[in-house]
Each structure stands twice: as structure tokens, then as C-alpha cells.
């Protein structure tokens, strides 16, 4: 669920010195995309991803915990990162709703 406060909280975290330090630390610990590496490809890390999206937090404290939890971080290349987010999007309620709407529209156009 997107709300303005959450967007602001997220920006506050991503703009913080602590997050930048942690992000750099993770990049140094895993300088290669973890997913590509699992497939035997060597691609430099270009994004630090949160396995549990910090947007799922119900409060700022929880968001902070998700953002700064080391085992919630994943080093990814741009390609894997955008793929993972595309896949996540299709699993959200919104994604399901869109698929359901499309199915309904198809049904209606077939039965006109
Ligand atoms: Zn990758
Ligand atoms: Zn991500």
C-alpha cells in the first residue's frame, strides 16, 4: 500500500548516511550480482535489493529494521533487480486485480 508518509519515510532512510554506509558495505561484501553468480555469470553489483520490501512495514520502526537488516539485503545487477521487481509486482494484490479485470473483460467480449 502506498501512502505519502511511507514514501517520505522511505526517502528518509535512503537519504541517510547510515543507509549509504550499509549499502557500500554490502556492495563490498558481495561485489558480484548474487543471482547471476548462482547461474555461473560474473556481473558486478549495481543495486542493493531488500528481499522483504521495506514498503511492507507497518510502521517507521519496522521499516528501519527491514532496511538495515543485513540478511534482508541482496546484491544484484540492474537486470536481475528490475526482473525481481517485475516478478514481485505481479504478485501484489494490484497485480492479481489487474489480471482478474483482464479476465473479466475477455469474458465480457466473448459473450457479447
Ligand atoms: Zn544479475
Ligand atoms: Zn529492490
Amino acid at each position: 500500500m502506498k501512502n505519502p508518509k511511507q514514501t517520505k519515510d522511505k526517502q528518509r532512510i535512503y537519504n541517510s548516511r547510515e543507509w549509504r554506509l550499509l549499502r557500500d558495505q554490502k556492495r563490498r561484501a558481495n561485489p558480484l550480482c548474487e543471482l547471476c553468480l548462482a547461474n555461473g555469470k560474473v556481473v558486478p553489483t549495481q543495486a542493493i535489493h531488500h528481499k522483504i520490501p521495506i514498503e511492507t512495514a507497518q510502521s517507521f520502526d519496522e521499516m528501519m529494521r527491514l532496511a538495515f537488516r543485513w540478511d534482508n539485503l541482496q546484491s544484484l545487477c540492474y537486470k536481475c533487480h528490475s526482473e525481481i521487481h517485475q516478478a514481485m509486482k505481479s504478485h501484489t494484490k494490484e497485480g492479481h486485480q489487474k489480471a482478474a479485470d483482464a479476465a473479466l473483460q475477455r469474458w465480457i467480449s466473448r459473450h457479447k
Side-chain angles (χ1 to χ4, degrees):
M1 296 300 107
K2 281 223 159 70
N3 67 55
K5 170 150 193 316
Q6 218 184 25
T7 307
K8 252 178 91 185
D9 285 348
K10 214 168 95 174
Q11 274 165 3
R12 218 169 108 197
I13 291 173
Y14 285 150
N15 287 333
S16 72
R17 207 178 107 80
E18 289 78 10
W19 166 249
R20 280 174 211 182
L21 284 173
L22 185 72
R23 195 186 53 188
D24 289 347
Q25 216 179 329
K26 175 68 181 165
R27 210 198 303 259
R28 274 198 300 274
N30 299 87
L32 301 174
C33 170
E34 294 179 30
L35 289 183
C36 285
L37 204 61
N39 290 311
K41 282 185 287 177
V42 173
V43 182
T45 294
Q46 285 149 330
I48 302 301
H49 170 66
H50 287 104
K51 289 186 237 173
I52 304 170
I54 68 170
E55 293 90 339
T56 60
Q58 299 300 312
S59 65
F60 183 66
D61 281 354
E62 202 187 327
M63 193 184 265
M64 287 284 283
R65 273 198 297 276
L66 283 176
F68 288 94
R69 237 175 71 183
W70 185 258
D71 60 7
N72 194 32
L73 302 179
Q74 197 172 28
S75 287
L76 297 176
C77 66
Y78 285 133
K79 193 167 162 285
C80 289
H81 194 220
S82 72
E83 275 172 13
I84 232 170
H85 277 267
Q86 282 304 317
M88 279 197 314
K89 228 193 269 171
S90 64
H91 285 96
T92 61
K93 266 192 207 145
E94 209 178 75
H96 285 304
Q97 192 54 50
K98 272 197 198 122
D101 283 345
L104 180 65
Q105 289 308 320
R106 275 200 304 275
W107 191 89
I108 290 170
S109 63
R110 263 207 314 273
H111 292 84
K112 246 186 234 163

